[in-house]
Amino acid sequence: MYSEKVMDHFNHPRNVGEIEEPSGVGTVGNAKCGDIMRIYLDIDEQGVIQDAKFKTFGCGAAVATSSMATELVKGKTVQEALTVTNKAVMEALDGLPPVKVHCSLLAEEAIHAALWDYAQKHHIVIDGLKEPVADIG
Ligand code: FES
């Protein structure tokens, strides 16, 4: 049912933890399943994401997608990080079962919420980034 990559990222999640004094942090939740995901970003002066960490209180697919999403945003600029959509994360994981697609959405929303937090703090605009509705603080 799950791809090898999903199982690998579930069993050996990358970037678990938190960043002290992050450049941006976003916490989102899914009201239906109750799962919560928080993503921390460390962004340098050039706007490049140097580090990303996550904490996920959620299902296995949410853990795997947070792990992959944090891997994918590292080294990207804040603008490029918008290309890390739930679709991109799913593709990188070789797919998710249809009932688990919403879990990958949580990863996209958490990245957006963290980027929004960074943009707010630095008074910058990231083209195409909308204020996250799901940010639960
Ligand atoms: Fe809720 Fe996966 S079941 S995030």
Side-chain angles (χ1 to χ4, degrees), residues 28-111:
V28 296
N30 181 299
K32 279 199 190 130
C33 62
D35 292 348
I36 292 169
M37 188 185 294
R38 176 173 295 159
I39 287 187
Y40 303 83
L41 297 176
D42 178 27
I43 300 166
D44 71 14
E45 268 138 45
Q46 275 73 47
V48 178
I49 298 169
Q50 294 295 338
D51 200 8
K53 296 247 188 272
F54 78 89
K55 278 188 176 170
T56 291
F57 183 78
C59 73
V63 171
T65 52
S66 334
S67 171
M68 181 55 92
T70 47
E71 283 289 271
L72 290 176
V73 295
K74 275 201 266 180
K76 287 191 167 53
T77 65
V78 290
Q79 193 68 56
E80 288 166 350
L82 290 185
T83 62
V84 182
T85 58
N86 77 308
K87 234 178 126 204
V89 174
M90 276 200 298
E91 270 169 28
L93 286 170
D94 293 336
L96 279 174
V99 293
K100 289 284 165 184
V101 171
H102 77 273
C103 318
S104 64
L105 212 53
L106 218 49
E108 177 183 312
E109 287 169 357
I111 288 172

Side-chain angles (χ1 to χ4, degrees), residues 5 7 18 42 71 76 93 108 114 118 131 133 136:
K5 277 196 193 159
M7 290 312 293
E18 56 187 277
D42 178 27
E71 283 289 271
K76 287 191 167 53
L93 286 170
E108 177 183 312
Y118 166 78
E131 184 170 2
V133 277
I136 55 173

